[in-house]
Structure formats: structure tokens, C-alpha cells
Amino acid sequence: MKLKMFTAGSLADALALVRQQLGPHAVILHTRTYKRGGFLGFRAHTVVEVTAGVGQRVGHPRLKLPIAAPPASNPPAVQALPANSANSLAQQPSAGDLIRRTYALAKAELARNNPPPPAALPVQPLPVAPASDQRLPHDQLAQEVQAVKRMVASVMRRQCSPSPTAAPPADLPGSLFDEYLRLLQQEVAEELAEEVVRKARQELSNHQLADPAIVRRILRQQVASLIAADDQGIVPGTAPDGRPRTVAFVGPTGVGKTTTIAKLAAQFKLKQQKRVELITLDTYRISAVDQLKTYADIIGVPLHVPTNLQQLHDLVSKPRPCDILLMDTAGRSQRDDKRLDQLQASLQAAQPHEVHLVLSSTCSQPAIFDAIERFSRIRTDSIILTKLDEAVSFGVLFNVARKVNKRLSYITTGQEVPHDIEVGRADRLAAMVLGEVGAE
Ligand code: GDP
């Protein structure tokens, strides 16, 4: 749940709004202030992020409060845009919380009724008793725990992924089952979650299974091993064919191609002192050329705007004093077959050494998969996942990385140029998938 407030006020104003929305018993759990938007620090606005709840651990509504400078003549304006009723949602634990709590209670009950035998005592086999025997709650409780597990798994699967096919992994040891649920909560696809816990189960001894920290570590390793991350990103320099490394960025409209190119251009030029040049093929929209031109001017790199395929070919095939050529392509709809053909023709003329498919993590998973399908006509080498700062969970990152089966070269984590971009690193991505770290 999000609430946005635009105010010229301070953190105190933000806290007052929290109380106003969540009532006098609101508890501030965390505050954070950061810059957002803008370019190279200019015209960025300050965002105060307040995480608050009502009472203890009943919910963590996140209130993002961007602070914009007000016109000098106006008093500070406060405009609240609540997406939901903060009070009612804050007081209701989610379905996932309830399920987890039920499962934890059943487990605790089992543990209470069956304390482990003292280490010094010889282990005696338990007498076998009929299932109805009230004096032996262990079997009964164990069965109940299994039933709860099955129920939890099926509810989670129905909530998170609609596939009814696979059997619930109710025989998983408790610690791994918890991790399985965590993966589903992160919206990892069911079959992927099962694959990960199954592989982790093979790695773990019974002794290790009792240690949640070890279980988590092995699970993180399993997730990381399934993500083909780049770890290095684009490396400027002369390619083996003698041309500057030429990299094209393709993808649906609005996913963040131009912004990503600006981030990379600024990093290569300002941090690595590389000779960078930009090309845009997005001549359909004047605003798109203007957008890249503005970035090019600020960063101080040339922008080429070839108007036909011959010009493009001449541009990229001549030797030039340049380390990296970054090529923006038209932000066209992937539904437009004719334009996809034109894109393909442009790429044939430009002969890029690398083509990165840019996808936005804020799109629904079916929309992302649809884009992947459409762009499969185009040769792509890597994927870039953008807008992870706005993603609700990171399971989609894992699902997409597995579906495409291509290197994940970069992720982007905000609108700020040039900072909000990082090379895809499997260990960090795995920690994000498991919900251990955010996109900051
Ligand atoms: P293009 O049409 O694919 O070239 O997309 P643009 O680069 O023009 O970006 C579209 C919008 O997405 C702009 O408002 C960008 O500021 C925004 N954007 C780009 N990258 C990110 C990101 O990592 N996080 C967020 N939140 N917004 C982004």
C-alpha cells in the first residue's frame, strides 16, 4: 500500500501525515530521505520515505513523500493521494501472514508435545500405536502439520501462480518449506521454486537442515546458480573487427532504453574516461531525439541521427576514434510487426557487437513474456531489467532470467542518471529474489 504526498514541508510534516492517516497510535518504523529524478543531481526532488505501522508488527505501509519546492508565492501545499484506506489495511495481516502464523503455531505445538530426548539417553524406538491413540499426539500432530503444509502450499500457489499441475511439496523439511513459501511470496514461478528447494534438499544434510542460516545460504547459492548474470557488463574498447564496440538497445516503448543509455554513456565517459558516441534510430518521435540530444549535450558526447540505412551503415563501418558506440532504437510497440521488421533491417545495417533487450520489471509477467516472445525475432544477447525500484517483488527477475536464458547484463533501480544502474551480479540478484535486500 502506498500513499503519496507532495509537500514543501519537512520530515515533521511527513510524520504528521502518518499520524493523520494511521491514527494516533501509528508507530514510525523507519525513515529515509533520498533524491529522485533529475539528471546528474540537477532538478532532482527529495523524497522522504516513512515506513509506519499501527501497534506492533501489524503491517508496514510505506509512505513515499516526494518533497518538491513550491512556487515562491504559494504557501506549502499538502496533497495526499491515498491509494487505500491506510487504517484498515494496516490492521489486517495479509493472507500470507495468516498462513505463516497458522503453520508456525502448528509447528510450535508439535515441538511442545514432543521435546527432543536428552542427549545422554539411548534412542529407543517408539512403540507403534493406532492413529486414533490420544496418548501419542506426535503422529497426529505430524499429520496435521503435513495437512497444514499442503493447505498452505495450495493456497500460496493459488495466490501466486495459478498452475494446478505439480503436487504440493508437503514432504519438505520445515526449514525448506518455509523457504519454498518465501519464494512463492516473492512471486517466483512455482516450478522454479520447486526446482530450487529440490536442489537445495540434495545439498543439505539432515543436520544442516536444522540450521535456517545454512538452509538460506544454500538456497541463495541455488538461486544464484540459476541466474545467468553478466558480472562484467559492457566493456568499451576496440572490437576484434577493428570497429569501436557497438551496442544496440531494443525493447518495448517506455521501458527505459534512452535513460539506460544515458546512464551508461555518463558512466563510461565520466567515470572511465572512455570516448563515447551515441546513435539514435528513433527518428519517429522528435521528442525521443531531443531527449537523447539533451543527455548527449550534458554528458558531452556526440549524437548521430542517421536518416537511412546507408547512412547508418557508413557511420558504423568506418574506423573512428571511439571506444563505445551506444545505439538507441525506436521505442515502438512490440505488437507492430512492420516496425519490428524495420528494426531488424537497422540492426543488420549497424552490425552491433551486442544487442541488449530492455524490459521493465513494472510490467506484468505475461506482458514481459509477450515482449520476449515478440522480440525473439530479433537477435538479442543480453537482457536489462529496468525499474526494479518500483517492482513489488523480485521473483519476476528470476522468472524472466530463466525464461530468456540470456545473460542479465544490467538492472536499473531508479530514474537518476547516471547512478541508478548496476551490473547484473548473480549473488546480489539472488539476495533480491529471496527478499533479503531491496533495489536501493
Ligand atoms: P524508452 O521509451 O524505452 O526509451 O524509455 P525512457 O528512457 O524514455 O524512459 C521512460 C520512463 O521510465 C522515463 O520517465 C524514465 O525516467 C523512467 N525510467 C527509466 N529507468 C527507470 C528506472 O530504473 N526506474 C524508474 N522508476 N523509472 C525509470
Side-chain angles (χ1 to χ4, degrees):
M1 181 208 55
K2 282 184 182 168
L3 182 89
K4 288 194 177 173
M5 183 185 80
F6 297 91
T7 175
S10 60
L11 184 61
D13 294 330
L15 300 185
L17 184 76
V18 166
R19 296 246 148 75
Q20 187 191 322
Q21 293 295 323
L22 302 185
H25 303 300
V27 180
I28 307 302
L29 302 168
H30 179 67
T31 65
R32 192 165 73 96
T33 306
Y34 57 92
K35 296 271 187 201
R36 181 156 201 193
F39 178 72
L40 293 169
F42 297 111
R43 305 187 63 180
H45 57 259
T46 304
V47 175
V48 179
E49 184 179 307
V50 180
T51 307
V54 179
Q56 282 197 328
R57 304 187 63 76
V58 289
H60 294 216
R62 267 184 153 200
L63 312 181
K64 283 194 176 182
L65 310 168
I67 296 181
S73 54
N74 290 346
V78 176
Q79 185 193 356
L81 304 171
N84 280 305
S85 158
N87 261 326
S88 61
L89 276 179
Q91 282 161 353
Q92 284 173 8
S94 68
D97 289 342
L98 282 174
I99 290 165
R100 281 186 162 273
R101 218 173 286 167
T102 312
Y103 175 56
L105 280 175
K107 261 197 351 188
E109 180 93 340
L110 180 61
R112 238 194 338 274
N113 283 288
N114 298 278
L121 289 179
V123 179
Q124 299 284 341
L126 284 172
V128 178
S132 60
D133 191 337
Q134 294 295 317
R135 287 167 302 166
L136 280 178
H138 177 276
D139 291 353
Q140 198 181 330
L141 277 165
Q143 279 172 14
E144 280 177 20
V145 168
Q146 291 296 324
V148 171
K149 280 180 169 188
R150 273 193 296 275
M151 180 201 64
V152 170
S154 81
V155 170
M156 291 292 291
R157 285 214 313 265
R158 243 177 288 137
Q159 270 192 348
C160 303
S161 56
S163 157
T165 47
D171 55 337
L172 276 180
S175 52
L176 263 183
F177 190 80
D178 286 346
E179 296 298 342
Y180 174 74
L181 292 186
R182 170 183 278 271
L183 289 170
L184 292 188
Q185 269 181 339
Q186 289 291 321
E187 295 185 37
V188 170
E190 184 189 326
E191 57 281 3
L192 258 182
E194 285 180 8
E195 183 182 352
V196 170
V197 290
R198 202 180 54 246
K199 287 188 169 162
R201 176 75 189 90
Q202 288 161 2
E203 292 265 313
L204 289 158
S205 67
N206 285 344
H207 180 66
Q208 288 175 320
L209 274 169
D211 186 337
I214 297 179
V215 172
R216 173 60 61 80
R217 180 165 52 78
I218 297 295
L219 209 81
R220 202 184 306 117
Q221 284 171 6
Q222 289 300 336
V223 174
S225 73
L226 291 171
I227 298 177
D230 192 309
D231 282 333
Q232 195 179 23
I234 297 166
V235 182
T238 306
D241 61 5
R243 297 187 297 144
R245 182 148 287 271
T246 305
V247 184
F249 297 81
V250 301
T253 317
V255 289
K257 290 184 295 297
T258 307
T259 314
T260 301
I261 289 171
K263 288 172 184 172
L264 289 171
Q267 295 222 353
F268 291 143
K269 162 97 185 183
L270 305 175
K271 283 198 182 161
Q272 300 183 21
Q273 281 81 47
K274 297 294 178 193
R275 294 166 301 177
V276 181
E277 296 188 20
L278 304 180
I279 301 177
T280 181
L281 307 180
D282 194 356
T283 48
Y284 296 92
R285 293 178 306 149
I286 296 189
S287 60
V289 179
D290 280 352
Q291 187 189 355
L292 199 56
K293 177 88 178 102
T294 308
Y295 283 130
D297 288 347
I298 297 174
I299 301 164
V301 296
L303 169 68
H304 306 280
V305 191
T307 51
N308 59 52
L309 292 181
Q310 189 59 49
Q311 269 184 21
L312 173 63
H313 182 73
D314 293 347
L315 184 69
V316 295
S317 49
K318 281 190 199 135
R320 50 197 314 113
C322 170
D323 299 308
I324 180 96
L325 261 171
L326 300 174
M327 193 159 74
D328 200 1
T329 60
R332 59 199 65 179
S333 159
Q334 75 258 22
R335 302 212 162 274
D336 191 335
D337 284 347
K338 192 165 144 250
R339 296 242 169 128
L340 277 175
D341 288 344
Q342 288 168 352
L343 174 62
Q344 196 154 25
S346 303
L347 292 177
Q348 256 157 22
Q351 291 294 306
H353 299 104
E354 299 173 27
V355 182
H356 295 244
L357 174 61
V358 186
L359 299 164
S360 167
S361 56
T362 56
C363 296
S364 70
Q365 189 162 294
I368 298 177
F369 283 6
D370 184 48
I372 291 169
E373 182 65 33
R374 295 269 166 174
F375 278 88
S376 62
R377 290 170 50 191
I378 310 279
R379 175 206 126 198
T380 51
D381 306 295
S382 306
I383 48 171
I384 296 177
L385 262 185
T386 59
K387 310 191 190 186
L388 279 172
D389 54 308
E390 291 188 357
V392 181
S393 65
F394 299 116
V396 65
L397 184 160
F398 193 24
N399 303 341
V400 169
R402 289 299 290 163
K403 163 101 178 166
V404 183
N405 205 15
K406 297 208 158 110
R407 289 178 314 149
L408 193 97
S409 54
Y410 291 94
I411 56 171
T412 78
T413 55
Q415 291 173 299
E416 210 176 310
V417 177
H419 305 296
D420 294 333
I421 186 163
E422 50 184 282
V423 170
R425 278 191 10 244
D427 53 348
R428 164 135 165 86
L429 297 172
M432 288 170 81
V433 169
L434 287 168
E436 294 176 330
V437 295
E440 297 90 26

